[in-house]
Amino acid sequence: MLLVIDSGNTNIVFAIYDGEEVKGEWRSSTRADRTADEYGVWLSQLMTYQGIDPLAVNAAIIASVVPANVFTLKTLCRRYFRVEPLVVGEPSVDLGLNICMDRPEEVGADRLVNAVAAHNKYPGPLIIIDFGTATTFDVVDGEGNYHGGCICPGINLSLEALHMAAAQLPRVAVGRPSQVIGKATVPAMKSGIYWGYIGLIEGLAKRISEEFGQPMTIVATGGLAPLFVEATDVIKYLDQDLTLRGLLEIYRRNVTL
């Protein structure tokens, strides 16, 4: 069985694959001070509770946008599962795509993994919108090559910035308001964030397609993606498992070389 680890800025997702089947999936908050032993005990207990034998894991792959976490996650794989993990971004790991960027080494591992997964499943060219700590727009051509994109503040990050910077603005939850014109402070904040992001999605998607010079298929992923997909028809596909499936595909590509 394969242990897949997606380490983001806010959460780390651990999943166990047995072939194509996901046997278990768990999340932990991303914390630089958490040790390999803490992750190991926590994850082993959750796996056992779900009827998965930790000793059955015989391979692992890691994608992390937090460089400080890579050593800890490697140690976790070695110490608790007795496997040497593949790490997306290391020179020995082949992604099967060209990174058409001025500085390829700066591209986040999650963005490349999403590009691999989306190209394998959806007709290109593609725009992949990932609603994470940052909201990212990634461009993939019809051959699966990565062409960059846009990075915007994430929805929750924007809400927190409003609260922190303006004394009279409270913390609010993300949700779809029934109307655009807010009749009080909280409804106005919710409307600005929600409908503002819909405008961001539609505007950037249009400009990216025009600049790229071809019609593009738009795929959305990330925790808040379902909330925004329902309000715009520019997004054609919602795919919550995009990153994990991309890691599975990258692992298979490398172990069969």
Side-chain angles (χ1 to χ4, degrees):
M1 289 195 291
L2 174 66
L3 170 62
V4 168
I5 304 175
D6 172 25
S7 175
N9 288 297
T10 303
N11 292 312
I12 302 180
V13 181
F14 300 84
I16 299 293
Y17 275 89
D18 186 2
E20 292 287 335
E21 183 183 0
V22 180
K23 304 294 288 186
E25 183 179 327
W26 309 274
R27 290 177 180 267
S28 173
S29 59
T30 301
R31 281 176 39 192
D33 62 346
R34 191 162 285 169
T35 67
D37 292 326
E38 288 176 303
Y39 283 125
V41 171
W42 171 82
L43 185 57
S44 297
Q45 288 179 337
L46 287 172
M47 291 173 65
T48 301
Y49 179 78
Q50 204 157 324
I52 302 169
D53 181 4
L55 296 177
V57 173
N58 57 10
I61 185 168
I62 299 168
S64 178
V65 298
V66 185
N69 279 353
V70 174
F71 177 78
T72 298
L73 295 172
K74 280 185 171 183
T75 303
L76 163 71
C77 294
R78 292 164 180 162
R79 183 176 297 167
Y80 285 86
F81 301 101
R82 304 293 190 270
V83 298
E84 185 64 31
L86 296 178
V87 179
V88 175
E90 292 187 346
S92 60
V93 177
D94 179 20
L95 303 180
L97 54 76
N98 294 316
I99 304 173
C100 305
M101 299 278 288
D102 295 336
R103 297 184 178 180
E105 70 280 1
E106 294 182 353
V107 183
D110 56 339
R111 302 177 75 182
L112 297 176
V113 171
N114 285 347
V116 171
H119 173 67
N120 285 349
K121 185 173 181 179
Y122 303 107
L126 300 167
I127 301 172
I128 305 161
I129 308 176
D130 191 345
F131 294 87
T133 306
T135 299
T136 57
F137 292 70
D138 294 310
V139 176
V140 182
D141 67 23
E143 287 71 50
N145 300 311
Y146 181 82
H147 287 265
C150 307
I151 302 174
C152 313
I155 297 96
N156 287 319
L157 192 62
S158 296
L159 283 169
E160 187 64 18
L162 272 178
H163 167 69
M164 294 296 291
Q168 291 187 298
L169 297 183
R171 284 189 173 92
V172 298
V174 181
R176 180 176 180 175
S178 57
Q179 58 190 44
V180 177
I181 302 172
K183 299 295 187 179
T185 298
V186 169
M189 291 175 67
K190 288 185 173 182
S191 176
I193 287 292
Y194 187 84
W195 295 114
Y197 262 84
I198 292 297
L200 175 79
I201 292 163
E202 295 175 343
L204 278 178
K206 180 175 182 292
R207 288 177 181 273
I208 289 170
S209 295
E210 289 174 351
E211 186 172 304
F212 198 72
Q214 299 179 47
M216 305 184 80
T217 301
I218 301 179
V219 181
T221 190
L224 289 174
L227 185 62
F228 290 91
V229 168
E230 67 184 27
T232 178
D233 57 5
V234 304
I235 299 173
K236 187 166 185 180
Y237 299 105
L238 171 64
D239 193 333
Q240 295 289 71
D241 298 321
L242 195 67
T243 308
L244 295 180
R245 195 173 63 253
L247 283 168
L248 174 63
E249 291 165 1
I250 291 168
Y251 173 79
R252 287 179 170 168
R253 176 179 183 85
N254 283 268
V255 297
T256 56
L257 287 177

